[in-house]
Amino acid sequence: RSEGKNAKTLMVIAHNPGMSELVSCLASEYIGMSTAAIAVFETHLDSWNDFKFDQHCVPMKMIHFMRPKELSN
């Protein structure tokens, strides 16, 4: 947090069940994250220091979600 306090974009790469828990918390609904799924959120936090992930995380707007099986060849 101290290094990226001015960052405009944050990418999180993780494993389940943690990723499904994080995405579900941010989306305020259950989202099952399969292998290599992506979820993109938009937030209007002034600082990453305002970001909280606990029982009451800050809800964000999910603007994109995709699972690998949805990709066309």
Side-chain angles (χ1 to χ4, degrees), residues 2-56:
S2 63
E3 295 297 322
K5 62 184 173 186
N6 295 321
K8 301 293 182 199
T9 303
L10 173 69
M11 176 185 270
V12 177
I13 301 172
H15 294 277
N16 268 327
M19 188 55 89
S20 289
E21 291 173 3
L22 174 62
V23 170
S24 296
C25 186
L26 296 176
S28 299
E29 66 179 280
Y30 178 75
I31 306 288
M33 295 292 288
S34 61
T35 301
I38 62 166
V40 179
F41 289 89
E42 179 178 78
T43 184
H44 298 289
L45 294 174
D46 292 327
S47 167
W48 286 114
N49 290 329
D50 297 334
F51 177 79
K52 304 284 188 263
F53 177 60
D54 55 21
Q55 293 178 349
H56 307 287

